Amino acid sequence: MATQDYKQLVFALLAAVTFGVVSVILVLVWVLHYREGLAWDGGSAEFNWHPVLNVIGFIFLQGIAVVVYRLPWTWIYSKLTMKFVHAGLHLLAFTLVVVAFAAVFDFHNAAAIPNMYSLHSWLGLTALLLYTLQLVLGVGLYLVPVAPPQWRAAFMPLHVYTGLFIFSSVVATALMGFTEKLIFSLKSPAYSSAPPEATLVNVLGLLIVAFGALVLWIVTRPHWKRPGEQTLLSSSPTTEEEDNVQGSAGPALPQPSEGLAGGLRGRSVAKQTDMDD
């Protein structure tokens, strides 16, 4: 990878992580300073787990899981290792999201508030169901070695598209939830008068949009995609075929530095020699 291209990728990654981390900090400031804090007592403090865990899990961790294959310093590790990292991040995100949904349902039931009546709730539950299906199929096809190679290669474009669709939907649904919460909660002063809490949450929304936009930009740049497994580790043609559609279409490029490329080529040659022997 050219030096300029590598610098752009690193800058985009650092910017995305910065926006994501600041988003997590702001959602914590919101619930701890302006709302009732965090608790599990059936009250408003229990509801607050919903935005906090969704921002951490459904947005930040899912976003990092989406771009984890694009981290150049991870290219020295096998694709299988990165699959476990990718799946592990998604599983952690899924766990946090399930708790977030449990919190809001428990709060609604304790306060006699109807469940699942708003568009925000419909989209949120749909995203969770799709995320569950995506996780199950991803593990079943790519981590458990029972699916035929043809199935894995055929399903990969849909797996990639669905992952990006779910992530984008979650960002949009979160913005709807923030607005809904502010309209319901801010009475004196009202949301329309732009009190400090409203400004804070609006900034939080902008940061989440910026994080989501950078994640989508990084993962859809063909020249930033992970090189094929055969290029890196002299693996099988089937694995390389999967890699060629992972993330986005486009040619695989060499490693971000000549030193790294040389080391990987050396490992590839050595491995090929052992196989020939």
Side-chain angles (χ1 to χ4, degrees), residues 141-142 146-157 238-239 241-242:
L141 285 172
Y142 299 111
V146 294
Q150 297 84 354
W151 290 16
R152 298 199 302 268
F155 181 71
M156 181 58 75
T238 299
T239 304
E241 182 181 1
E242 290 179 21

Side-chain angles (χ1 to χ4, degrees), residues 44-223:
S44 298
E46 181 174 346
F47 170 86
N48 291 339
W49 284 111
H50 185 70
V52 169
L53 295 181
N54 275 323
V55 169
I56 295 174
F58 232 175
I59 295 176
F60 182 65
L61 288 180
Q62 185 185 182
I64 297 301
V66 167
V67 301
V68 72
Y69 288 111
R70 300 302 179 103
L71 305 178
W73 43 90
T74 68
W75 294 351
I76 60 174
Y77 301 107
S78 71
K79 184 64 177 294
L80 181 60
T81 298
M82 297 313 299
K83 284 180 181 179
F84 276 104
V85 173
H86 177 73
L89 288 170
H90 277 305
L91 184 58
L92 177 58
F94 174 78
T95 303
L96 296 180
V97 172
V98 169
V99 176
F101 273 71
V104 73
F105 276 106
D106 191 54
F107 165 72
H108 280 178
N109 293 336
I113 299 174
N115 289 305
M116 302 302 301
Y117 66 89
S118 67
L119 180 59
H120 166 70
S121 61
W122 289 12
L123 291 176
L125 185 59
T126 300
L128 177 58
L129 294 176
L130 289 176
Y131 197 52
T132 304
L133 181 61
Q134 174 87 336
L135 187 60
V136 170
L137 290 177
V139 170
L141 285 172
Y142 299 111
L143 285 184
V144 181
V146 294
Q150 297 84 354
W151 290 16
R152 298 199 302 268
F155 181 71
M156 181 58 75
L158 180 61
H159 180 71
V160 172
Y161 169 80
T162 305
L164 297 181
F165 173 75
I166 293 171
F167 177 71
S168 303
S169 300
V170 167
V171 170
T173 304
L175 300 181
M176 295 173 61
F178 293 153
T179 303
E180 182 180 293
K181 178 63 176 177
L182 290 176
I183 291 175
F184 287 163
S185 300
L186 295 180
K187 301 300 182 183
S188 181
Y191 183 29
S192 58
S193 63
E197 180 180 354
T199 301
L200 175 76
V201 178
N202 286 348
V203 171
L204 169 62
L206 290 176
L207 288 172
I208 287 176
V209 169
F211 174 74
L214 281 170
V215 167
L216 294 177
W217 177 259
I218 292 167
V219 83
T220 55
R221 299 306 92 197
H223 50 291

